[in-house]
Amino acid sequence: MRYCINCCIHLLPNDLHRQCFRCRGPNHNNQKCLVCKGENKVPLSADSKQMKLLAVLEVRTDPSESWNGFFCLRKGKLCSLIFGLLIMTLVMASYILTGAKRGLLLIPSPFHYGAFTSNPSLMDNESLSDMKDHYQPSKMNISYVKDYPSIKLIIDTITSKIEFVTRQRPGLEELRKQEPHMFSVIPNKFLPNSKNPCWYEEYRGNTTTDPYATNSYALYSKRFRTIFDYLRKVFWNHLYHYRDKHYRLRCLPHFYIIGQPKCGTTDLYDRLRLHPDVRFSAIKEPHWWTRKRFGIIRLRDGFHDRYPVEDYLDLFDLAAHQIQGVLQSEAAKERGKMNSIIIGEASASTMWDNNAWIFFYDNSTEGEPPFLIQDFIHAFQPNAKLIIMLRDPVERLYSDYLYFASANKSAEDFHEKVAESLQLFENCVLDYSLRACVYNNTLNNAMPVRLQVGLYVVYLLDWLTVFDKDQILVLRLEDHASNVKYTMHMVFQFLDLGPLSEKQEALITKSPASNTRRPEDRSLGPMLPTTKAILRDFYRPFNTKLAQVLFDDAFLWKRT
């Protein structure tokens, strides 16, 4: 068998060497090629036996042939590399777009794993927006913060920085400048024979006009369209006609259930709805004071058009229709009887969520919000009544995590998220006041779990700067769960509601609890004992202050 030394191709005995294209290239020399000179011998042999060339010869390939092989060899790897880079680009683009929607890219995430000291170069007069330069990721692995002594140091630092300072209330004129439209719609005087702040407003539309055509609640949520379809049908039947003009009755709530989330507010709402003299907004939680009036529909979606106050008032039209019927009845006119129907609203974000302030109000030098929700509510309703349902903040946080976490829920994951959040909170209080950190939108968005919601006393003290203590009823979920009848009687008395029949009372107090923990969440079991101990240490000084303010040691939650 013949061998072509240049290309190592096996040739049949009758094949001509000149058929090898690689050998007969442009540099082919007939004088040097043995086959071309007519010599038909086996190139190599040993002991009269033909040997395979590749066994004894070191093959040296032609340089051009090496590069061809290189590119052939690398072609598959190159395609894989390009494909990998494309996938990485798509993943990063998805992350960036998602982060932008959530508003998390306004300031980088302030993670400081293991780095428990603040930046000493941060100046005292640095504004809140400059925190993005202070919060930078640390190279410390998160497993480090699982060590209880290390986390205890963080908590000790936070505790040392706690200072409850009374805030300065803004003046009425300052509030008017911030929300001129709201003040132009809501009057400063209301009907005298109604417990609710109600007034008549001229309606300038005609019979072909849809009074709810521009209502943002109806436009942005399919769930509420059925409600507004009904309101459209009955709207014209409830207009008040006077001197060739049409008037509609407008009302604000008499009382608010203002907090806190995962503390039993839904159960309280469902039971109060059963009282014959209580009416609620068409939507349980409008979140208008805290979110919708700023244009926040869902926190993760960023800002949309702001909901005007008229859209919020529309939610009380059903109740206003019933109040109007009582006010216009002949019996009521004769006796001058006070209307007994009261309206409530149950947005559990009202007490604590002031995160939007930094985008709409001028920042103060201390990084604290110059205006809070309660400032505006009090400006219109100085006699409003407020109900707060609280719960052991440790258990509240775990329930909050189980309810809102979407995937990979576990006691271990909760522990890690608590550790991260504590570090972020520590980094803030080292350089800013407690109030500035509690109302810090960037910090609250960055924390994996909502630690700040359980700092009840911080929010309560701010509400007490504008409302009297006897206007606020504070309940504990633990008491409500053990004795529903007792807590509901406290609520009825607080709201000055009339007596109930035994049947009506049984219906309210014996109904099953609402919004209990989902079965799949129960299967995850309790939080880790270490996590509970960490959170107990963190919330202890806040609970102590709360018990002092309310003169009730039950709010220490020592037995839970």
Side-chain angles (χ1 to χ4, degrees):
M1 179 177 289
R2 298 179 183 274
Y3 291 86
C4 171
I5 295 176
N6 286 330
C7 58
C8 303
I9 299 177
H10 293 255
L11 303 174
L12 296 175
N14 58 350
D15 285 339
L16 296 177
H17 185 68
R18 63 178 57 92
Q19 290 177 334
C20 178
F21 174 77
R22 295 183 185 273
C23 290
R24 297 185 61 81
N27 298 324
H28 183 69
N29 191 325
N30 290 335
Q31 300 298 324
K32 295 181 179 180
C33 182
L34 298 178
V35 178
C36 294
K37 292 168 69 174
E39 299 182 15
N40 192 21
K41 297 179 181 180
V42 178
L44 292 174
S45 62
D47 299 329
S48 302
K49 294 182 179 180
Q50 180 176 331
M51 297 178 62
K52 289 194 174 183
L53 177 65
L54 293 178
V56 297
L57 183 65
E58 178 183 354
V59 179
R60 297 185 179 180
T61 60
D62 182 76
S64 61
E65 186 178 353
S66 298
W67 282 108
N68 290 333
F70 173 81
F71 286 115
C72 291
L73 180 65
R74 293 292 188 270
K75 184 176 182 181
K77 292 185 178 180
L78 186 61
C79 292
S80 299
L81 179 61
I82 294 174
F83 182 76
L85 291 173
L86 178 62
I87 294 297
M88 185 182 298
T89 302
L90 292 174
V91 171
M92 291 298 295
S94 175
Y95 169 78
I96 292 171
L97 292 175
T98 304
K101 281 186 176 182
R102 295 186 182 186
L104 298 178
L105 298 181
L106 293 173
I107 298 178
S109 178
F111 294 143
H112 280 248
Y113 299 135
F116 304 138
T117 58
S118 64
N119 186 349
S121 63
L122 192 66
M123 301 302 293
D124 292 337
N125 60 354
E126 186 181 18
S127 69
L128 189 63
S129 61
D130 292 331
M131 294 173 73
K132 59 185 178 180
D133 300 323
H134 173 52
Y135 292 143
Q136 295 298 332
S138 169
K139 296 180 180 179
M140 184 67 69
N141 191 286
I142 192 170
S143 62
Y144 180 80
V145 301
K146 291 184 178 181
D147 182 22
Y148 177 78
S150 299
I151 302 178
K152 187 64 169 65
L153 290 175
I154 298 175
I155 296 173
D156 291 343
T157 302
I158 294 172
T159 302
S160 68
K161 294 293 182 178
I162 295 176
E163 187 178 3
F164 301 102
V165 180
T166 304
R167 66 182 289 262
Q168 296 296 319
R169 285 177 55 183
L172 184 60
E173 288 305 314
E174 294 178 88
L175 297 174
R176 288 181 183 275
K177 290 178 182 179
Q178 296 299 323
E179 297 288 352
H181 178 70
M182 196 190 310
F183 279 89
S184 69
V185 173
I186 302 176
N188 55 13
K189 292 184 179 180
F190 306 108
L191 297 177
N193 55 343
S194 175
K195 291 183 178 180
N196 304 275
C198 296
W199 68 96
Y200 280 105
E201 174 187 279
E202 182 180 355
Y203 181 71
R204 302 180 184 278
N206 53 47
T207 55
T208 61
T209 304
D210 179 2
Y212 305 105
T214 60
N215 187 286
S216 301
Y217 286 99
L219 294 174
Y220 288 113
S221 179
K222 295 180 180 179
R223 292 185 302 152
F224 306 141
R225 290 178 184 173
T226 302
I227 297 173
F228 284 99
D229 286 342
Y230 174 77
L231 286 172
R232 290 185 185 95
K233 292 179 182 178
V234 301
F235 179 80
W236 289 97
N237 298 331
H238 295 280
L239 287 180
Y240 177 65
H241 305 279
Y242 181 73
R243 293 184 179 179
D244 298 327
K245 291 183 179 181
H246 299 289
Y247 295 88
R248 64 190 296 189
L249 187 67
R250 289 291 208 178
C251 294
L252 282 169
H254 172 68
F255 71 96
Y256 295 84
I257 301 175
I258 63 174
Q260 288 286 66
K262 310 313 297 176
C263 290
T265 56
T266 299
D267 186 74
L268 179 61
Y269 162 82
D270 285 337
R271 295 182 192 280
L272 270 175
R273 288 175 62 196
L274 300 176
H275 195 287
D277 290 337
V278 176
R279 303 292 183 273
F280 276 94
S281 54
I283 302 166
K284 174 187 176 286
E285 294 188 272
H287 296 297
W288 185 80
W289 290 102
T290 55
R291 298 170 188 171
K292 299 299 190 293
R293 72 185 179 102
F294 297 109
I296 302 174
I297 299 177
R298 297 180 184 85
L299 294 176
R300 64 177 180 270
D301 294 336
F303 293 96
H304 296 260
D305 292 336
R306 300 180 69 174
Y307 287 32
V309 66
E310 292 89 343
D311 291 359
Y312 180 60
L313 296 174
D314 286 346
L315 301 181
F316 304 103
D317 277 2
L318 282 174
H321 294 165
Q322 296 183 41
I323 293 173
Q324 182 180 0
V326 175
L327 294 177
Q328 293 180 346
S329 66
E330 291 299 325
K333 290 180 181 178
E334 291 175 2
R335 297 193 302 266
K337 181 180 178 182
M338 176 70 71
N339 171 45
S340 61
I341 295 176
I342 60 173
I343 304 175
E345 200 254 72
S347 299
S349 64
T350 307
M351 180 178 179
W352 64 275
D353 191 353
N354 281 277
N355 288 328
W357 74 269
I358 196 170
F359 300 104
F360 293 91
Y361 303 138
D362 292 335
N363 193 0
S364 63
T365 56
E366 297 83 11
E368 297 183 5
F371 309 101
L372 295 177
I373 302 304
Q374 51 266 40
D375 297 329
F376 293 97
I377 294 179
H378 183 269
F380 300 113
Q381 301 175 252
N383 299 319
K385 294 196 172 184
L386 311 168
I387 300 175
I388 303 171
M389 182 81 86
L390 301 180
R391 171 190 192 177
D392 179 358
V394 176
E395 297 298 335
R396 193 221 69 82
L397 186 64
Y398 190 50
S399 178
D400 196 68
Y401 163 78
L402 293 177
Y403 186 81
F404 288 105
S406 57
N408 302 320
K409 290 185 285 189
S410 68
E412 293 76 16
D413 180 66
F414 177 66
H415 179 87
E416 291 189 356
K417 285 179 167 54
V418 167
E420 291 182 35
S421 301
L422 285 170
Q423 290 180 74
L424 295 174
F425 197 78
E426 181 215 21
N427 290 333
C428 184
V429 297
L430 285 172
D431 300 298
Y432 296 93
S433 70
L434 178 61
R435 182 178 292 108
C437 294
V438 167
Y439 295 126
N440 183 348
N441 173 73
T442 303
L443 175 65
N444 293 338
N445 281 338
M447 286 196 296
V449 290
R450 301 194 294 182
L451 282 174
Q452 80 282 6
V453 178
L455 305 180
Y456 307 139
V457 70
V458 178
Y459 305 111
L460 179 60
L461 289 173
D462 283 347
W463 281 85
L464 287 172
T465 61
V466 292
F467 287 96
D468 293 336
K469 197 170 184 178
D470 59 2
Q471 292 179 259
I472 304 176
L473 174 64
V474 183
L475 305 170
R476 292 196 331 146
L477 175 61
E478 293 83 1
D479 299 330
H480 180 68
S482 62
N483 194 338
V484 174
K485 186 174 181 179
Y486 175 73
T487 55
M488 294 309 299
H489 275 222
M490 289 182 64
V491 173
F492 297 156
Q493 183 178 0
F494 176 71
L495 296 176
D496 297 320
L497 292 170
L500 296 172
S501 66
E502 291 185 6
K503 185 177 180 180
Q504 289 174 324
E505 186 174 298
L507 178 64
I508 294 173
T509 59
K510 295 183 179 180
S511 299
S514 303
N515 202 20
T516 56
R517 186 169 294 180
R518 296 170 295 204
E520 60 269 26
D521 292 338
R522 287 198 208 102
S523 64
L524 295 176
M527 71 183 82
L528 299 177
T530 303
T531 314
K532 179 174 286 191
I534 289 169
L535 291 172
R536 286 257 179 268
D537 291 341
F538 172 68
Y539 285 118
R540 184 175 294 112
F542 299 99
N543 293 343
T544 300
K545 182 65 175 179
L546 179 65
Q548 293 172 356
V549 172
L550 299 175
F551 300 102
D552 189 347
D553 286 344
F555 289 94
L556 295 172
W557 283 286
K558 287 183 176 180
R559 298 180 181 179
T560 56

